């Protein structure tokens, strides 16, 4: 990094740590630990705190996070503090216990439900019901911080056209880990998307080979993200091998003996691992 950029980075970090004026305590803004400073500082986008107090999840650094594949693109995520999250929740694939949070995308009815169990405390839509706007989610619950990055989608069922910001990538910041669920991703990500996402240690990726994106396009996204643990999901038609074949010796591949994995900052693979959970094959 060039000296002038290093100075700018340090200044930005110092600004994040600055004391908060007493009058700003009511406006509490979640802080993302995963939006790392980009290598090219002038092109990086930093969050604007505007003097507001910061809000962070309960401390669970170094704890274990359990991810269980429930079906299609629904994963159950259990935090060290006991928060249960279900991704792309449609009501068909349910966690073993009532989830505290569910996320949804609307590309197809297999990715959402408009009649979730009323006992679910937080139902997060990856789309906005207001035309021309996008969903903006920043939720801290227990030891988890959940945010979204909006992406465009194609209209379903051969209608043609697309909808700007129609779906979302959901990011879960838990126990120091940055965990991303790509949802029903239809287009390759832009530099702005990658900056907004930041670091992803674990990523759940659709491998259907066409309903979302082709295997070559999806593999380019995964290579750019450089996650330590890649969990395939949303397999329809082609075998997972069609996706795996796009990766070379820089990635390890393994089939899991069951449908779940427990991971922490301590146990992340040193080399990127494509880990196919039972039920996805």
């Amino acid at each position: 990094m060039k000296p002038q950029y290093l100075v700018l980075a340090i200044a930005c970090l110092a600004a994040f740590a600055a004391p908060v004026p007493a009058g700003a305590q009511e406006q509490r803004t979640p802080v993302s630990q995963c939006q790392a400073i980009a290598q090219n500082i002038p092109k990086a986008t930093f969050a604007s705190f505007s003097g507001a107090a910061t809000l962070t999840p309960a401390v669970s650094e170094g704890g274990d996070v359990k991810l269980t594949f429930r079906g299609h693109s629904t994963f159950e995520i259990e935090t060290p503090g006991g928060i249960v999250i279900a991704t792309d929740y449609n009501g068909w694939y349910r966690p073993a216990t009532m989830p505290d949070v569910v996320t949804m995308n609307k590309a197809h009815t297999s990715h959402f439900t408009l009649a979730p169990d009323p006992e679910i405390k937080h139902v997060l839509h990856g789309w906005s019901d207001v035309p021309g706007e996008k969903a903006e989610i920043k939720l801290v619950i227990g030891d988890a911080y959940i945010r979204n990055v909006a992406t465009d989608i194609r209209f379903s069922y051969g209608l043609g056209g697309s909808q700007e910001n129609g779906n979302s990538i959901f990011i879960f910041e838990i126990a120091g880990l940055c965990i991303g669920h790509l949802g029903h991703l239809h287009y390759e990500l832009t530099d702005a998307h990658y900056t907004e996402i930041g670091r992803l240690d674990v990523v759940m990726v659709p491998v259907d080979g066409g309903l979302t994106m082709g295997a070559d396009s999806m593999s380019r996204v995964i290579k750019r993200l450089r996650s330590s643990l890649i969990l395939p999901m949303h397999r329809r038609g082609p075998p997972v091998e069609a996706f795996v074949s796009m990766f070379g010796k820089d990635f390890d591949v393994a089939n899991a003996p069951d449908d779940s994995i427990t991971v922490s900052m301590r146990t992340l693979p040193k080399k990127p691992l494509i880990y196919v959970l039972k039920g996805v094959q």
Side-chain angles (χ1 to χ4, degrees):
M1 179 181 291
K2 294 182 179 179
Q4 63 268 33
Y5 294 165
L6 179 59
V7 171
L8 177 58
I10 293 172
C12 289
L13 291 174
F16 291 173
V20 178
Q25 295 295 328
E26 294 181 358
Q27 295 181 344
R28 294 169 63 80
T29 304
V31 176
S32 169
Q33 304 301 317
C34 303
Q35 288 177 309
I37 297 175
Q39 290 182 355
N40 192 353
I41 296 294
K43 293 184 179 179
T45 301
F46 295 96
S48 175
F49 294 95
S50 303
T54 58
L55 181 63
T56 55
V59 177
S60 62
E61 292 290 333
D64 292 329
V65 179
K66 185 177 182 181
L67 298 103
T68 303
F69 179 68
R70 290 300 178 189
H72 201 50
S73 57
T74 300
F75 282 81
E76 175 183 352
I77 303 173
E78 184 175 354
T79 77
I83 299 298
V84 176
I85 303 163
T87 65
D88 274 16
Y89 182 81
N90 55 26
W92 311 338
Y93 306 111
R94 298 171 180 264
T97 59
M98 179 68 67
D100 300 285
V101 183
V102 298
T103 66
M104 299 181 188
N105 274 308
K106 68 171 185 179
H108 299 283
T109 54
S110 53
H111 297 260
F112 74 96
T113 174
L114 297 181
D117 192 306
E119 294 297 315
I120 299 173
K121 298 175 184 176
H122 300 279
V123 177
L124 307 181
H125 289 175
W127 67 92
S128 172
D129 293 322
V130 180
E133 295 189 5
K134 64 181 179 181
E136 293 189 11
I137 296 166
K138 293 182 174 69
L139 172 68
V140 173
I141 175 171
D143 57 344
Y145 172 34
I146 305 170
R147 61 188 176 91
N148 75 309
V149 175
T151 63
D152 299 347
I153 58 168
R154 301 184 302 271
F155 286 126
S156 303
Y157 308 114
L159 297 178
S162 62
Q163 180 179 1
E164 186 176 0
N165 299 316
N167 268 342
S168 289
I169 293 170
F170 280 94
I171 300 167
F172 311 92
E173 304 191 16
I174 306 166
L177 290 168
C178 305
I179 303 170
H181 186 284
L182 297 186
H184 213 276
L185 187 62
H186 286 178
Y187 300 102
E188 292 194 39
L189 301 176
T190 65
D191 287 343
H193 285 133
Y194 287 111
T195 300
E196 192 175 355
I197 290 168
R199 185 184 92 246
L200 287 186
D201 304 302
V202 181
V203 62
M204 291 160 270
V205 54
V207 295
D208 53 84
L211 292 174
T212 53
M213 293 195 300
D216 55 343
S217 295
M218 197 67 76
S219 68
R220 283 194 291 271
V221 170
I222 295 304
K223 290 171 183 175
R224 173 78 180 265
L225 287 171
R226 299 191 298 274
S227 302
S228 297
L229 182 63
I230 299 104
L231 302 177
M233 64 172 184
H234 198 267
R235 185 189 70 79
R236 286 289 180 92
V240 177
E241 286 72 23
F243 170 75
V244 171
S245 67
M246 298 291 167
F247 298 86
K249 61 182 180 180
D250 292 335
F251 289 76
D252 286 335
V253 180
N255 290 324
D258 53 34
D259 60 3
S260 67
I261 182 173
T262 300
V263 65
S264 70
M265 290 295 292
R266 305 182 311 275
T267 60
L268 279 174
K270 301 298 182 185
K271 181 179 177 182
L273 171 64
I274 302 172
Y275 197 58
V276 185
L277 294 172
K278 186 177 181 181
V280 180
Q281 295 96 327

